[in-house]
Amino acid sequence: MNLLSNLKSGLQSLFHKQLIDRELNEELQSYLEASAADKQRSGMSPEAAQRAARAEMGSHNSVKHQVWSSRWESTIDSLLADIRQGIRTLTKSPGFTLVAVLSLTLGIGANTAIFTLCNAILLRPLPVQKPKELLLFGDGHAAGSTGSVPDGRMSLFSYAFLHDFRRQTSSFSGIAAVNSIESNSKASVAGGAYETTHVDLVSGSYFSALGVPAFLGRTIGDSDDQAAGAGTVAVASYAWFQRHFQGDPSALGKVIRIQSHDYTLVGVARPGFFGVTVGQSADLFIPLSMEKEISPGWNGLDNKFFQSLYLIGRLKPGVTAAEATAETNLLYKQIIRGFLGPQPSQKQLADIQHASVELTPGGHGVPRLSNFFSLPLKILMAIVALVLLIACANIANMLLARGVARTREVALRMALGASRQRIVLQLLTESMLLALIGAAAGIALAWKAGAYLLNMALASPDPVPVDVTPDLPVLGFTLAVTVLTALLFGTLPAFRSTQLEFSPALKDGRGSSAARTRSMLSRSLIVGQVALSVLLLIAAGLFIRSLANLASVDTGFDKRNVLIFFLDSSTANLPHHTPEEIRSVHLQEQIESRIQTLPGVQSTSFAFFTFNGGAWTDQVLFQGIPRTPENNQQVFFNIVGNGFFSTMSIPLVAGRTFNVHDTQTSPKVAVINQTMARRFFPNRSPIGQRFAIGETPDHPGEIEVIGVIKDAKYTALDEGSLMAAYFPCTQNPGFFDNFAVRYTPGVNTQPLISQVRSTIADINPNILVNNVSSLEEQVDRSVATRSLIARLSCFFALLAVFLACIGIYGLLSYSVASRTSELGIRLALGAQSPALVWMILRESILLLIVGLAIGVPVAMTSTRILKSLLYELSPLDPIAISIAIGAVAMMTFAAAWLPARRATKVDPMVALRCD
């Protein structure tokens, strides 16, 4: 109760200070009168008693100050007074305030924006129950599927392994599984129009193991995932449910048609749950038992080695990660060994012995996006931290200059009784106000910049499902950065401002200690800014030159004048009187031939993959060639139309490409690239040679090589020489989503796109064109992250140099202003302008040399960590280092030239009168 009373009275004192002041006056007056009356009773006269009472009490205002200072609310009152004083001081110097706030806005805003991305991609936990209990099987790097006996660290697992492992494990209370293969299907709600919907195929234990309750209805259970094709139920994400049903609970039980199959909506997941893969947002969750219905080409339910699932396990209470890892690896080897039957080969047994499962923290989900962005984001975070450090050094320099200008004010306040601590707190309050204003503007900047930076990094035509809105952790980070920033640039100038020699300070406002401190400390800060600037410029130069090297890579194909249409035939409703394989082949041939006749179209082709659009790899075995470590490597496969090589402008080196004679009934054929030809047939032609796919193929030597084409890039511009083989669509039936169209240079693409869409609709109105992009855009997207790093690092490096130049300009301007009388005397004695210019420039050159001497070696040491992000470029690239040194030198001379020129314009008579 005493505490509450004290708090209440204190708040009343803050809001009714005049009333408290009157009460104190009345109390002091009462005390004075009582003291005087007591002294009168002891024999003193009234006048003498009054004088003695006043002398005994002391200064009225001093006593009131002591009483007020003893109360807790006086601290808040002093802080409010400091804030008011700080606001008045900053508004009196709008130029200084504007420059400081702008520097802090850029520095804090950049840090907040990059940390927002780090938080959204790397740090934010899944919205599930106790995420720290979750462990991911593997590292989450891989995606897609593999079909061979495992022989290394595993990240993908089969449906059969999931069921066997769940039955035998004693370390996990639940195992959640989700298919790693993205499924963007066409869905129709209650007979409505079809639209692209992202579907996650999940196990029956998915929601229970993760601890995700239903918002409405129920989630998918084990009973939905027992028999193949029997789990015709769907759970919607909360966002999808709101978008389609506006939160109406009667939506449960509605029928959703996906890929010609009907599913009943049985539940809605809790708000905020998007799935477990960062960067992907599931609209609907479907049981894994419906895998074949979602994509007929997959065989994950029946094939024990069709490894395509991510697994996340929840530890039982008391079980450690090390214990779970040991049990998991033991069970893994036992289960895989059981899949091989009674007589596995020696190689298979050896592969199993080398296979292992690493359990990694799973509370943040499957880190496919974070694996891709981890190092770039850390590098960008370091860059923006250095920029903020340079901004702090610059503002500290400006505060030191202001401290010298306010020497007389500080000396007068100290002479009147203000303590050094009180003045330091006042100056730090001004610094904190600057930091808070800059932080507020920086958060506003980061609010808009986060999504923009993410889209720049991914260069995706569709919105990226990652929430980059600053949340509480981001705001906490920004607050911490703000306080640290204020302390960095405000503490030293505040303490230095109170180290005065009173006589000269009160006489002319220049204390010698302050001047010496300003000169030495300012020069140290400038040297640090130059060193950090050259470090950032060298890093930016490396990124830009690496990007230029990538841009000049020979892709092996002509990326110009090619459009890629992404088609979805899942709702095509093809006639059922012919087998599905023949139907898809005929449909593709019809589309290719019809589009080929459009004006401006040179060639067309379907393809399983286009550049950077995924990969299908496996090993091959040629007849008569034994396996060796050199030829036992993965080969990239693609299935393409007859016109693919002409559409992509990939030259034929030997043999022929596919034609109308390569049909389902003709011998199976393939075209290989030069690297594959050289690897297997270094001294003879590969034409006519036969091979099979897989380590132990069921049909050895069934595929004949009919041609060799030039090497091309398949998944990335910086990939090495890879072996590749192409197969014809006609012999590998299935409707392929990628449709490439090469058009005549100069053709307007918008009318052409409309004509292609219209022609496809005429052939089959149920085929949907999901998206259209150019091949150039696909190539550019493959280096989008590196492009973002190069652009941002260049921007921040130039910003750092600009801030350093402002610091140099301010230092030399102050130097010229403080040496006005000296310059006037020199001019009066006959000094020439070039000599004065050199005298001023010499100081900047010295600072530049010292800064470069520190910055260049530091840069040469620290840029080694960038090696993995550089393409055909050394971290010690002399060109990047030379350009950085030249840029810093030129900017330094430009910043120093104006003060140096101003020194030559000093009027000797005016200068001599100043002192």
Side-chain angles (χ1 to χ4, degrees):
M1 190 64 186
N2 291 334
L3 180 62
L4 292 177
S5 300
N6 189 24
L7 179 62
K8 181 179 178 181
S9 63
L11 293 175
Q12 288 176 343
S13 300
L14 284 174
F15 292 107
H16 304 284
K17 193 174 180 182
Q18 292 181 346
L19 176 62
I20 299 300
D21 192 60
R22 285 198 302 270
E23 290 177 353
L24 281 174
N25 286 333
E26 292 173 359
E27 289 179 10
L28 290 174
Q29 185 62 33
S30 298
Y31 174 81
L32 188 64
E33 291 173 356
S35 179
D38 185 59
K39 294 182 185 303
Q40 287 184 43
R41 283 192 295 269
S42 65
M44 297 178 68
S45 64
E47 293 80 4
Q50 286 284 342
R51 285 195 299 271
R54 284 194 176 94
E56 185 180 278
M57 186 178 70
S59 168
H60 190 82
N61 288 332
S62 177
V63 173
K64 285 170 60 179
H65 179 70
Q66 290 178 10
V67 173
W68 177 250
S69 299
S70 66
R71 305 172 64 145
W72 68 266
E73 60 266 27
S74 65
T75 303
I76 298 179
D77 186 61
S78 298
L79 177 61
L80 294 175
D82 287 345
I83 292 175
R84 289 192 295 269
Q85 175 64 26
I87 292 174
R88 286 195 296 268
T89 302
L90 294 177
T91 53
K92 288 179 181 178
S93 305
F96 162 78
T97 303
L98 181 62
V99 172
V101 168
L102 181 60
S103 300
L104 289 171
T105 298
L106 293 172
I108 296 178
N111 277 269
T112 302
I114 301 301
F115 181 77
T116 300
L117 287 181
C118 289
N119 178 59
I121 295 175
L122 305 178
L123 306 177
R124 185 177 293 159
L126 292 173
V128 301
Q129 179 185 4
K130 297 181 181 179
K132 291 184 178 180
E133 293 182 354
L134 299 178
L135 290 177
L136 174 67
F137 287 48
D139 53 17
H141 285 196
S145 66
T146 63
S148 57
V149 176
D151 62 350
R153 290 192 173 185
M154 298 303 297
S155 291
L156 299 175
F157 304 87
S158 68
Y159 187 75
F161 172 81
L162 166 67
H163 283 278
D164 285 1
F165 185 83
R166 283 183 60 193
R167 215 170 35 245
Q168 300 179 45
T169 182
S170 60
S171 297
F172 296 95
S173 60
I175 305 290
V178 58
N179 205 309
S180 68
I181 305 174
E182 290 186 60
S183 177
N184 290 313
S185 305
K186 290 300 176 183
S188 169
V189 180
Y194 280 94
E195 64 175 38
T196 301
T197 305
H198 181 83
V199 175
D200 266 6
L201 286 164
V202 301
S203 64
S205 56
Y206 180 81
F207 289 98
S208 60
L210 293 177
V212 180
F215 175 74
L216 281 176
R218 69 173 180 88
T219 58
I220 294 172
D222 286 331
S223 60
D224 302 312
D225 193 31
Q226 293 297 325
T232 56
V233 296
V235 171
S237 69
Y238 181 80
W240 188 89
F241 171 69
Q242 289 291 333
R243 193 163 61 246
H244 285 82
F245 299 107
Q246 295 74 48
D248 183 3
S250 65
L252 296 183
K254 296 283 187 182
V255 174
I256 304 172
R257 191 167 182 81
I258 307 174
Q259 312 275 88
S260 304
H261 292 272
D262 290 337
Y263 298 80
T264 302
L265 183 64
V266 297
V268 178
R270 67 182 297 179
F273 182 72
F274 51 83
V276 296
T277 305
V278 179
Q280 296 178 15
S281 181
D283 296 318
L284 296 173
F285 300 92
I286 304 294
L288 272 169
S289 60
M290 303 301 295
E291 186 180 62
K292 286 185 178 180
E293 285 69 25
I294 291 293
S295 183
W298 300 348
N299 193 26
L301 302 179
D302 301 329
N303 186 344
K304 294 181 178 181
F305 289 103
F306 188 84
Q307 294 147 154
S308 63
L309 302 181
Y310 293 128
L311 302 185
I312 298 180
R314 181 175 293 277
L315 286 175
K316 287 183 177 179
V319 178
T320 66
E323 292 171 344
T325 299
E327 185 203 51
T328 299
N329 279 278
L330 177 63
L331 290 179
Y332 182 76
K333 296 181 189 305
Q334 291 177 354
I335 292 171
I336 297 299
R337 171 64 180 82
F339 287 169
L340 294 176
Q343 293 182 330
S345 67
Q346 289 299 318
K347 183 180 184 308
Q348 289 173 331
L349 293 175
D351 287 343
I352 293 176
Q353 286 303 115
H354 288 98
S356 64
V357 180
E358 179 185 7
L359 299 183
T360 58
H364 298 288
V366 180
R368 283 175 58 184
L369 201 60
S370 58
N371 290 333
F372 187 66
F373 277 105
S374 179
L375 181 58
L377 283 176
K378 290 175 183 176
I379 290 174
L380 285 177
M381 200 72 222
I383 289 174
V384 294
L386 292 179
V387 170
L388 182 59
L389 188 60
I390 292 173
C392 290
N394 208 37
I395 298 173
N397 236 336
M398 296 165 66
L399 288 174
L400 285 171
R402 278 169 54 85
V404 174
R406 297 172 65 180
T407 299
R408 182 177 293 164
E409 172 200 340
V410 174
L412 184 61
R413 291 175 64 185
M414 294 181 70
L416 292 175
S419 66
R420 184 183 182 194
Q421 178 184 4
R422 188 72 187 81
I423 294 175
V424 167
L425 287 175
Q426 167 62 46
L427 296 176
L428 282 177
T429 301
E430 293 180 18
S431 299
M432 187 61 69
L433 282 173
L434 279 175
L436 288 173
I437 296 171
I443 290 175
L445 179 65
W447 206 286
K448 296 293 184 183
Y452 176 71
L453 291 176
L454 183 63
N455 288 328
M456 281 180 63
L458 295 179
S460 172
D462 302 317
V464 182
V466 174
D467 183 9
V468 289
T469 303
D471 53 12
L472 286 179
V474 173
L475 295 179
F477 168 82
T478 305
L479 179 61
V481 168
T482 301
V483 174
L484 180 62
T485 298
L487 293 176
L488 278 176
F489 71 74
T491 302
L492 201 54
F495 277 101
R496 293 300 187 187
S497 295
T498 59
Q499 294 179 345
L500 302 172
E501 295 178 9
F502 284 99
S503 295
L506 291 171
K507 178 180 178 182
D508 58 10
R510 295 181 185 175
S512 60
S513 175
R516 286 194 302 271
T517 298
R518 154 70 184 169
S519 178
M520 181 174 60
L521 188 56
S522 293
R523 283 164 173 75
S524 300
L525 291 173
I526 293 300
V527 167
Q529 286 180 283
V530 170
L532 292 176
S533 297
V534 76
L535 167 62
L536 293 179
L537 271 179
I538 290 175
L542 291 173
F543 287 132
I544 291 173
R545 282 182 45 76
S546 175
L547 190 63
N549 289 345
L550 281 172
S552 61
V553 165
D554 180 13
T555 60
F557 55 82
D558 187 358
K559 63 182 181 180
R560 298 169 299 175
N561 307 319
V562 177
L563 294 172
I564 307 295
F565 293 80
F566 302 93
L567 310 183
D568 188 338
S569 66
S570 60
T571 57
N573 293 326
L574 299 177
H576 295 278
H577 59 270
T578 56
E580 181 180 348
E581 293 81 1
I582 298 176
R583 285 182 272 145
S584 62
V585 169
H586 288 173
L587 179 60
Q588 288 175 169
E589 290 177 340
Q590 189 178 7
I591 291 175
E592 286 177 342
S593 61
R594 285 280 297 276
I595 302 298
Q596 180 80 48
T597 63
L598 293 179
V601 173
Q602 293 182 339
S603 60
T604 64
S605 175
F606 277 91
F608 193 8
F609 299 113
T610 54
F611 175 78
N612 196 37
W616 164 32
T617 63
D618 206 335
Q619 297 176 352
V620 300
L621 180 64
F622 272 92
Q623 283 185 334
I625 300 180
R627 290 193 182 277
T628 64
E630 185 180 16
N631 63 33
N632 197 33
Q633 299 178 15
Q634 296 287 313
V635 177
F636 281 75
F637 300 129
N638 201 353
I639 302 172
V640 300
N642 294 347
F644 179 80
F645 300 109
S646 60
T647 302
M648 305 299 287
S649 291
I650 301 177
L652 178 67
V653 176
R656 68 172 179 88
T657 58
F658 307 128
N659 56 39
V660 294
H661 301 293
D662 299 313
T663 64
Q664 281 189 298
T665 57
S666 64
K668 293 186 177 298
V669 295
V671 172
I672 65 175
N673 70 346
Q674 290 174 299
T675 296
M676 187 171 175
R678 285 192 297 266
R679 187 73 52 84
F680 287 98
F681 306 99
N683 301 315
R684 57 194 175 106
S685 172
I687 306 300
Q689 302 294 329
R690 294 179 176 274
F691 69 91
I693 299 173
E695 296 181 10
T696 55
D698 296 329
H699 305 283
E702 67 172 346
I703 305 172
E704 179 184 351
V705 176
I706 61 170
V708 178
I709 50 97
K710 180 184 175 182
D711 287 342
K713 299 295 181 182
Y714 306 103
T715 61
L717 291 177
D718 58 351
E719 68 188 20
S721 297
L722 304 176
M723 295 189 291
Y726 300 83
F727 310 114
C729 289
T730 51
Q731 294 184 345
N732 299 269
F735 193 91
F736 303 107
D737 298 339
N738 300 290
F739 181 57
V741 176
R742 175 169 292 279
Y743 57 89
T744 305
V747 169
N748 190 342
T749 57
Q750 288 306 314
L752 178 59
I753 292 173
S754 298
Q755 290 176 345
V756 172
R757 287 179 179 272
S758 177
T759 303
I760 293 174
D762 289 342
I763 296 172
N764 190 315
N766 297 310
I767 295 177
L768 301 178
V769 180
N770 288 337
N771 190 27
V772 183
S773 70
S774 69
L775 187 57
E776 283 185 287
E777 290 172 341
Q778 283 193 339
V779 174
D780 293 341
R781 281 199 291 270
S782 70
V783 294
T785 303
R786 298 193 184 197
S787 177
L788 175 68
I789 294 175
R791 283 182 283 178
L792 288 183
S793 62
C794 184
F795 169 76
F796 290 129
L798 292 177
L799 176 62
V801 174
F802 176 72
L803 292 174
C805 289
I806 290 178
I808 294 172
Y809 173 80
L811 173 67
L812 296 183
S813 294
Y814 171 78
S815 177
V816 170
S818 62
R819 298 167 66 182
T820 301
S821 57
E822 175 195 344
L823 296 173
I825 293 173
R826 289 179 180 272
L827 287 171
L829 294 176
Q832 299 298 312
S833 295
L836 292 181
V837 170
W838 171 246
M839 183 180 70
I840 303 299
L841 288 179
R842 184 172 54 198
E843 185 176 3
S844 67
I845 292 174
L846 178 61
L847 296 175
L848 173 65
I849 291 174
V850 176
L852 292 177
I854 296 173
V856 172
V858 171
M860 294 175 69
T861 302
S862 57
T863 52
R864 296 179 187 275
I865 64 175
L866 308 179
K867 187 174 182 180
S868 63
L869 294 175
L870 302 179
Y871 177 69
E872 293 187 352
L873 192 69
S874 167
L876 305 178
D877 179 54
I879 297 178
I881 295 174
S882 301
I883 292 175
I885 293 174
V888 172
M890 286 190 294
M891 295 288 283
T892 300
F893 283 124
W897 180 255
L898 291 176
R901 288 290 298 168
R902 192 180 304 131
T904 65
K905 305 298 181 182
V906 173
D907 187 335
M909 296 304 296
V910 175
L912 292 174
R913 284 196 206 103
C914 288
D915 289 337

